Amino acid sequence: MTARGAARMYSALLGHVDGIDLVSSQRRQAMAAVAFTRMDEVMGFPVSWAFGYSPSRLADAADAGKGASAPPRHGSTFGMVGANGSAAYADVDSGLAAAIMRNGPPAASMTAAARIDRLIAETQGRR
């Protein structure tokens, strides 16, 4: 999948593709709400999940354990972060979708994703 394709999919969930609203605003809020929190038995650390998505922002994942510089907004974002530094998500509050896809060797760095997330947060006055 390309970053453009992933961003378009999340944009469609926000209701911004061809004027078609795939899900209601209430459903978007539910998609971003934490539905599950407990220990991930495979990865061995605590996780929170929305319905099929991660409710965390990209900067949250990049800054895990280091004190996120952009505050989490559970209930307003949903997406997925990949182990190789790829990520995509929808920001319900701003109506923006973002995607970063790596095509090189896995570096497990979320630097680019976190920077884009911080730029979105700053633009929206939420830093």
Side-chain angles (χ1 to χ4, degrees):
M1 175 179 282
T2 65
R4 185 179 303 238
R8 185 168 168 85
M9 183 206 65
Y10 280 99
S11 187
L13 290 171
L14 292 171
H16 301 307
V17 176
D18 299 329
I20 298 169
D21 203 3
L22 294 177
V23 295
S24 68
S25 60
Q26 294 85 2
R27 177 62 64 191
R28 278 190 283 277
Q29 295 295 324
M31 290 167 67
V34 174
F36 173 89
T37 302
R38 72 173 65 131
M39 183 64 72
D40 183 310
E41 298 296 328
V42 174
M43 301 300 283
F45 53 81
V47 296
S48 293
W49 286 100
F51 291 113
Y53 298 97
S54 169
S56 297
R57 293 176 52 197
L58 301 176
D60 295 345
D63 294 331
K66 297 185 277 180
S69 59
R73 293 189 326 273
H74 290 164
S76 69
T77 57
F78 60 92
M80 188 58 63
V81 175
N84 71 343
S86 295
Y89 82 112
D91 184 314
V92 177
D93 294 338
S94 69
L96 296 173
I100 299 92
M101 298 294 158
R102 296 181 59 91
N103 60 3
S109 172
M110 294 301 298
T111 305
R115 184 170 184 209
I116 289 169
D117 184 44
R118 285 188 197 101
L119 288 170
I120 291 170
E122 289 169 5
T123 302
Q124 299 301 309
R126 293 192 195 110
R127 182 153 176 146

